[in-house]
Amino acid sequence: MQEYKKPLFQKGRVLKKEGLEALWDFPSGLASTMMAGWHDGILSGFGISYAMEDNGKGQLIVEAGAVLHKGQVVLAGKEVFPFDAFDRQVVVRLYILPGYPADDFYIWPLEVRIEGIQDSTEGLELGRFRLSQGARLRKEYQDMQDFHTAYNTLDITNVQYAGPGGATVPPVMLQVFARMVIANKAAGEADISFALMCLGQAPVPRECILWYISRRLGTPYREMEHNEIYESLVRIAGTGSRGADRGQRKDGPAVF
């Protein structure tokens, strides 16, 4: 017979080693149980924004986040960087360097870098953009084409989220797709079913996305790169010329 022990930390009680061990085991045990068979990727957080300091200089803010890395949940804190790389495309990546044991901890060094697109193929992408000086880094998406504009919009189409059976696409992208589908009165039952899954389940398993694209476009089931998944969803959503025009234009600066 098994026993599940929850430590009680009460006034007047002696803090025991077994209680601390149970407390330490709980989060790692819960994560490993819930995420068994999941592929590495982002779990939550890592929002990216741009702001002006009081001295007039710009700074890029990368919020705290959590990733699944080799079956372990790794937490990263908020970081702020000076930023003046205007009018050129940059990518923000998280690097998790090889871990090592210390006296009381096992340590994974973490490093967030702002790089050119071709600087590296390693690391976990958090987003990419090309920002005009004086502009706002936009993260509100009106339709599927809006994720891939030329200027001043955070592009997350290559960001990989942790998911069962394989890395999946950002939930916000699937949610925008789902709302477009539901608003389309001509959408079929399969489209509506998939859209409701996107709104009600996060993360949506990669296999579900690939099967949906295959059946919807009448193509053989196959693995796809993230940009291929995005382009297929754009095609299915049928955003039309309005979205295509916005994707080609250079958005004017939105002054803070």
Side-chain angles (χ1 to χ4, degrees), residues 1-229:
M1 178 181 294
Q2 297 187 40
E3 290 182 329
Y4 171 68
K5 295 181 179 181
K6 179 181 178 181
L8 300 176
F9 298 97
Q10 297 176 337
K11 186 176 181 180
R13 301 289 297 177
V14 176
L15 184 62
K16 297 180 179 179
K17 175 183 176 183
E18 291 79 3
L20 292 175
E21 288 176 343
L23 188 65
W24 183 88
D25 288 340
F26 179 79
S28 59
L30 179 63
S32 61
T33 300
M34 294 184 64
M35 299 175 189
W38 281 37
H39 191 280
D40 289 353
I42 293 174
L43 290 169
S44 64
F46 296 110
I48 298 174
S49 58
Y50 173 79
M52 295 291 293
E53 301 178 82
D54 293 338
N55 59 10
K57 295 184 178 180
Q59 59 181 13
L60 195 73
I61 303 159
V62 181
E63 300 293 342
V67 299
L68 187 67
H69 175 69
K70 297 182 179 179
Q72 298 285 331
V73 177
V74 178
L75 304 179
K78 176 180 176 180
E79 294 204 43
V80 179
F81 304 89
F83 184 84
D84 59 3
F86 300 109
D87 295 310
R88 63 186 180 92
Q89 194 171 49
V90 297
V91 58
V92 182
R93 290 191 177 97
L94 171 69
Y95 290 85
I96 303 178
L97 305 179
Y100 59 89
D103 289 341
D104 298 311
F105 298 95
Y106 192 88
I107 300 173
W108 282 281
L110 309 177
E111 186 175 359
V112 176
R113 302 177 192 169
I114 304 171
E115 304 175 327
I117 294 298
Q118 303 300 328
D119 285 354
S120 174
T121 57
E122 303 297 326
L124 185 64
E125 181 169 336
L126 305 178
R128 59 179 66 188
F129 59 89
R130 180 185 283 110
L131 188 66
S132 302
Q133 190 165 6
R136 178 177 66 92
L137 183 58
R138 193 168 62 93
K139 296 179 289 183
E140 303 81 26
Y141 308 102
Q142 299 177 22
D143 55 35
M144 289 299 292
Q145 288 279 7
D146 221 7
F147 285 91
H148 197 54
T149 58
Y151 274 79
N152 306 329
T153 301
L154 182 64
D155 184 341
I156 58 172
T157 57
N158 289 287
V159 175
Q160 296 191 1
Y161 272 69
T168 189
V169 300
V172 65
M173 192 167 78
L174 293 177
Q175 290 163 6
V176 170
F177 173 82
R179 293 188 181 101
M180 292 182 65
V181 168
I182 291 174
N184 182 359
K185 295 181 179 180
E189 291 184 6
D191 297 317
I192 296 298
S193 295
F194 180 73
L196 293 175
M197 176 188 292
C198 293
L199 290 177
Q201 175 177 331
V204 177
R206 183 182 188 87
E207 186 176 7
C208 292
I209 300 170
L210 295 178
W211 271 117
Y212 169 71
I213 291 172
S214 170
R215 295 297 298 272
R216 184 61 172 77
L217 297 180
T219 56
Y221 178 90
R222 64 179 180 88
E223 266 299 334
M224 292 182 172
E225 300 291 338
H226 265 47
N227 64 322
E228 292 181 285
I229 292 175

